[in-house]
């Protein structure tokens, strides 16, 4: 019923839009009203200005015209359609892409907004904070950002819906104000329409006393309209050319003002038109391949399934496999402690060990628990109950545990719960890393039972397992917290990851869309 309403509304919208377009066709043009040619300058001259000079100025910049390297907005809307909507909504947007290219910027923008946002519940929209910041950050030009950050007060102006860019600019680039288009809402749902561009906007909060001064500098692009009221107040406007943007370098992750530790969404690639076409062509074959891989993993013994899975494209690399030399204090088994990348960590670990081990984990769906070919136990986060359960399992044999409590995609390690440190004196740290090309095998807001399916749909997913030196736990002179921190740091060093004090609660608070981003607990290993 909802899909029928969605497509019916799209047909009516396109009909009205086309009628309006052909009655009064408009093309993008630069508006120089209330300005003179003398105030326009070439962008490279701005980069050579003194730092002290720009600190005294307010910088008003076009987000898509002077900050991002890419000139296409399609990938960001495709992410919204896929992550906030569905694969059918994303397919609809992709089919309309050729039409969007020929109708002009403003109309193309309206079409993409209609397809992506129609019927989406405003309260549940998390793509702007959990998904898009990663892809925006990867598209920021290093040279342009270095100029923008030198300004005193920074104001980002965009034609995009504000909900798409607000978190990216404020939380990660520390932009003071974001001026974007607002989306119309009815009964708590987006209706797929933007508020019309206002001739006047409230400037008191944005510019304060600067609106009557001469210390306002604008940065925009040669192919972007300057009819926004904020640009009319600029004493000087610097224009970015296509050649300038092509020469920019990508902003490296170590220069992010705030680190990107958590992000959500299924797509692991930038969905350009060609990449999106490849994805839609791969999905039917990839789903069949995932089912085949799952059947092989669930039914065959290790000596047979490992070479077959390798033939289908699954990659597994085991480093330092001298763990067989470890002596175990009977009657307990070895306790393997690893970082958490996907729900398949214990399964791949068993493949590398070539024998089943019991897995104790927090993030486990009921479907995965039933389908797992190894014994899996769901921890309750009740310390006493979990300790008793893990003690009993260790008495039965080897066990693997992921003390982070949840997965993390980026090269960071969350805080290790110290419970494992008091259960055994035979602790083997295990460093795990995973690489995917199309789909992430983790989610914070979707169906966790589909995580293994999406991971197995990748053409060549790979796992790296590295066994580290055994650590003394229960009988150590160190406290259990010190042991947990030591194991975390050793795994971090082996992987080249950064250790943090963040927890599962922090992850879900951030991805759920709270106002603050918890970065104060980041520390170096």
């Amino acid at each position: 019923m909802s899909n029928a309403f969605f497509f019916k509304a799209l047909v009516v919208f396109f009909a009205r839009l086309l009628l309006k377009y052909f009655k009064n066709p408009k093309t993008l043009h630069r508006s120089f009203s209330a300005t003179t040619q003398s105030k326009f300058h070439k962008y490279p001259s701005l980069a050579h200005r003194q730092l002290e000079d720009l600190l005294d100025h307010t910088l008003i910049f076009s987000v898509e015209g002077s900050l991002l390297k890419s000139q296409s907005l399609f990938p960001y809307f495709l992410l919204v359609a896929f992550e906030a909507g569905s694969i059918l909504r994303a397919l609809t947007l992709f089919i309309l892409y050729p039409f969007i290219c020929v109708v002009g910027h403003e109309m193309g923008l309206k079409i993409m907004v209609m397809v992506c946002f129609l019927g989406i519940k405003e309260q549940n929209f998390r793509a702007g904070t959990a998904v898009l910041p990663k892809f925006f950050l990867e598209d920021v030009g290093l040279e342009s950002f270095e100029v923008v950050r030198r300004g005193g007060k920074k104001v980002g102006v965009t034609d995009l819906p504000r909900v798409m860019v607000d978190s990216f600019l404020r939380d990660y680039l520390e932009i003071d104000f974001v001026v974007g288009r607002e989306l119309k809402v009815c009964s708590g749902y987006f209706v797929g329409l933007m508020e019309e561009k206002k001739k006047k906007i409230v400037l008191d909060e944005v510019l304060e006393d600067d609106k009557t001064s001469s210390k306002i500098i604008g940065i925009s692009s040669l192919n972007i309209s300057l009819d926004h009221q904020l640009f009319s107040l600029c004493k000087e406007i610097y224009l970015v050319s296509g050649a300038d943007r092509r020469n920019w370098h990508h902003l490296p992750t170590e220069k992010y003002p705030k680190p990107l530790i958590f992000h959500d969404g299924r797509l692991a690639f930038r969905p350009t038109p060609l990449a999106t076409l490849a994805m839609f062509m791969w999905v039917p074959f990839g789903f069949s391949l995932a089912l085949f891989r799952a059947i092989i993993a669930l039914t065959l013994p290790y000596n047979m399934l490992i070479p077959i899975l390798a033939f289908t494209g699954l990659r597994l690399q085991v480093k330092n496999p001298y763990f067989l030399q470890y002596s175990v204090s009977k009657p307990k088994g070895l306790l393997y402690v690893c970082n958490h990348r996907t729900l398949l960590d214990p399964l791949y670990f068993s493949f590398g060990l070539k024998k089943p081990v019991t897995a104790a984990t927090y993030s486990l769906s009921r479907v995965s628990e039933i389908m797992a070919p190894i014994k899996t136990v769901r921890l309750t986060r009740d310390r006493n109950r979990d300790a008793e359960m893990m003690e009993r399992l260790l008495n039965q044999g080897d066990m693997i545990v992921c003390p982070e409590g949840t997965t993390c995609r980026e090269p960071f390690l969350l805080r290790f719960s110290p419970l494992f440190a008091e259960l055994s004196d035979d602790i083997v740290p295990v460093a795990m890393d995973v690489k995917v090309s199309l789909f992430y095998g983790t989610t914070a807001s979707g169906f966790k039972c589909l995580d293994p399916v999406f991971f197995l749909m990748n053409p060549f997913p790979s796992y790296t397992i590295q066994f580290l030196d055994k650590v003394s736990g229960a009988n150590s002179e160190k406290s259990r917290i010190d042991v947990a921190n030591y194991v975390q740091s050793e795994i971090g060093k082996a992987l080249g990851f950064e250790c943090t004090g963040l927890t599962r609660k922090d992850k879900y608070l951030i991805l759920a869309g709270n106002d603050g981003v918890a970065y104060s607990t980041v520390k170096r290993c």
Side-chain angles (χ1 to χ4, degrees):
M1 188 68 178
S2 59
N3 288 335
F5 170 77
F6 168 69
F7 287 109
K8 182 178 180 181
L10 278 184
V11 172
V12 174
F13 170 75
F14 289 140
R16 291 181 178 178
L17 207 59
L18 285 174
L19 182 62
K20 179 180 179 181
Y21 178 75
F22 287 112
K23 279 186 177 181
N24 185 25
K26 297 180 180 180
T27 57
L28 288 176
H29 63 280
R30 184 177 302 286
S31 175
F32 297 121
S33 58
T35 62
T36 60
Q37 292 291 339
S38 61
K39 71 188 295 183
F40 294 95
H41 308 277
K42 293 183 178 180
Y43 171 79
S45 61
L46 179 62
H48 295 93
R49 293 185 61 160
Q50 296 295 324
L51 173 61
E52 294 77 10
D53 183 19
L54 291 180
L55 281 175
D56 295 333
H57 288 75
T58 293
L59 290 186
I60 300 176
F61 64 94
S62 168
V63 175
E64 52 266 40
S66 62
L67 183 66
L68 305 179
K69 283 177 56 65
S70 173
Q71 300 184 19
S72 174
L73 300 179
F74 172 81
Y76 305 113
F77 282 100
L78 196 283
L79 285 164
V80 173
F82 189 94
E83 306 293 0
S86 65
I87 191 171
L88 292 179
R89 191 185 290 257
L91 180 61
T92 302
L93 179 64
F94 176 71
I95 292 173
L96 292 173
Y97 176 71
F99 178 73
I100 292 170
C101 292
V102 300
V103 296
H105 174 78
E106 183 65 18
M107 180 175 285
L109 187 63
K110 291 180 178 179
I111 293 174
M112 290 191 289
V113 169
M114 170 60 72
V115 174
C116 295
F117 285 94
L118 176 62
I120 300 295
K121 193 172 183 179
E122 180 185 22
Q123 185 178 359
N124 294 340
F125 182 75
R126 303 299 182 196
T129 55
V131 178
L132 291 176
K134 168 182 167 60
F135 294 91
F136 276 125
L137 286 168
E138 291 176 348
D139 195 27
V140 172
L142 171 61
E143 290 78 4
S144 62
F145 176 69
E146 292 291 350
V147 171
V148 169
R149 73 180 306 179
R150 288 160 57 189
K153 184 182 297 181
K154 298 170 279 290
V155 182
V157 178
T158 178
D159 280 338
L160 292 170
R162 187 177 56 82
V163 294
M164 292 178 62
V165 299
D166 193 72
S167 178
F168 151 64
L169 293 172
R170 291 179 183 271
D171 296 338
Y172 294 98
L173 296 189
E174 299 179 334
I175 303 303
D176 300 301
F177 295 97
V178 179
V179 181
R181 309 280 287 274
E182 299 296 333
L183 293 175
K184 294 183 178 181
V185 179
C186 181
S187 300
Y189 289 85
F190 294 121
V191 297
L193 299 174
M194 294 184 292
E195 299 286 353
E196 293 297 325
K197 289 184 177 180
K198 298 179 180 180
K199 299 300 182 182
K200 295 182 179 181
I201 64 174
V202 179
L203 301 177
D204 293 339
E205 180 184 2
V206 176
L207 299 180
E208 297 176 350
D209 297 333
D210 292 340
K211 64 180 180 179
T212 57
S213 71
S214 59
K215 293 187 176 182
I216 304 177
I217 295 177
I219 311 174
S220 189
S221 175
L222 285 170
N223 60 350
I224 297 237
S225 175
L226 291 177
D227 59 359
H228 201 287
Q229 184 181 3
L230 287 176
F231 284 109
S232 67
L233 300 175
C234 297
K235 175 189 177 183
E236 303 171 272
I237 296 180
Y238 292 83
L239 301 178
V240 179
S241 66
D244 294 330
R245 297 169 77 166
R246 286 190 295 271
N247 291 330
W248 288 345
H249 297 85
H250 290 282
L251 181 66
T253 56
E254 60 270 15
K255 290 199 174 184
Y256 291 175
K258 291 184 178 179
L260 178 72
I261 298 178
F262 301 120
H263 61 88
D264 205 11
R266 292 294 189 185
L267 297 184
F269 64 98
R270 181 178 178 82
T272 61
L274 285 178
T276 303
L277 174 62
M279 179 196 70
F280 282 122
M281 294 176 64
W282 171 260
V283 164
F285 178 75
F287 183 73
S288 301
L289 181 61
L291 290 181
F292 176 76
R293 288 168 169 172
I295 293 173
I296 295 299
L298 292 173
T299 58
L300 295 182
Y302 291 107
N303 291 335
M304 295 180 61
L305 68 85
I306 292 177
I308 294 177
L309 291 180
F311 180 76
T312 67
L314 293 180
R315 300 290 184 259
L316 174 62
Q317 182 182 11
V318 180
K319 297 181 179 180
N320 302 333
Y322 53 81
F323 52 87
L324 294 177
Q325 302 175 8
Y326 290 145
S327 60
V328 182
S329 302
K330 297 297 182 180
K332 285 189 175 182
L334 279 173
L335 177 60
Y336 296 98
V337 177
C338 70
N339 58 305
H340 204 2
R341 303 301 277 177
T342 77
L343 289 179
L344 296 177
D345 289 344
L347 187 59
Y348 265 89
F349 177 81
S350 295
F351 292 166
L353 208 60
K354 294 185 178 180
K355 70 175 184 178
V357 295
T358 301
T361 180
Y362 295 99
S363 54
L364 182 67
S365 70
R366 183 65 62 184
V367 174
S368 299
E369 186 176 4
I370 295 174
M371 297 294 293
I374 61 175
K375 183 177 181 180
T376 58
V377 177
R378 183 197 301 268
L379 298 178
T380 63
R381 302 187 189 277
D382 182 306
R383 183 182 177 280
N384 293 330
R385 291 178 57 187
D386 290 342
E388 181 181 348
M389 180 187 304
M390 294 172 66
E391 184 80 25
R392 184 172 62 253
L393 293 173
L394 272 174
N395 290 331
Q396 298 173 4
D398 296 347
M399 183 176 66
I400 181 172
V401 63
C402 304
E404 286 179 289
T406 188
T407 58
C408 184
R409 299 173 177 176
E410 294 299 308
F412 295 91
L413 294 180
L414 308 188
R415 189 184 73 190
F416 278 27
S417 171
L419 177 60
F420 71 88
E422 60 189 56
L423 298 177
S424 175
D425 199 45
D426 296 304
I427 298 174
V428 181
V430 181
M432 286 193 174
D433 199 10
V434 61
K435 302 294 183 184
V436 296
S437 56
L438 284 183
F439 304 107
Y440 287 114
T442 61
T443 182
S445 57
F447 295 103
K448 295 197 72 64
C449 61
L450 296 180
D451 287 359
V453 177
F454 275 99
F455 178 83
L456 294 175
M457 285 177 63
N458 285 284
F460 300 101
S462 66
Y463 253 92
T464 301
I465 301 175
Q466 183 175 354
F467 293 88
L468 307 180
D469 293 335
K470 191 170 68 169
V471 174
S472 179
N475 296 329
S476 172
E477 296 180 356
K478 298 180 180 178
S479 68
R480 61 189 183 92
I481 295 178
D482 290 337
V483 172
N485 290 339
Y486 176 76
V487 172
Q488 181 200 35
S489 66
E490 289 300 298
I491 293 178
K493 291 176 184 177
L495 294 172
F497 288 4
E498 188 170 348
C499 298
T500 77
L502 300 174
T503 65
R504 175 185 181 275
K505 181 179 179 181
D506 295 316
K507 170 185 172 179
Y508 281 89
L509 283 175
I510 293 171
L511 296 185
N514 68 325
D515 293 334
V517 182
Y519 294 111
S520 59
T521 53
V522 175
K523 66 178 182 178
R524 294 288 178 181
C525 289

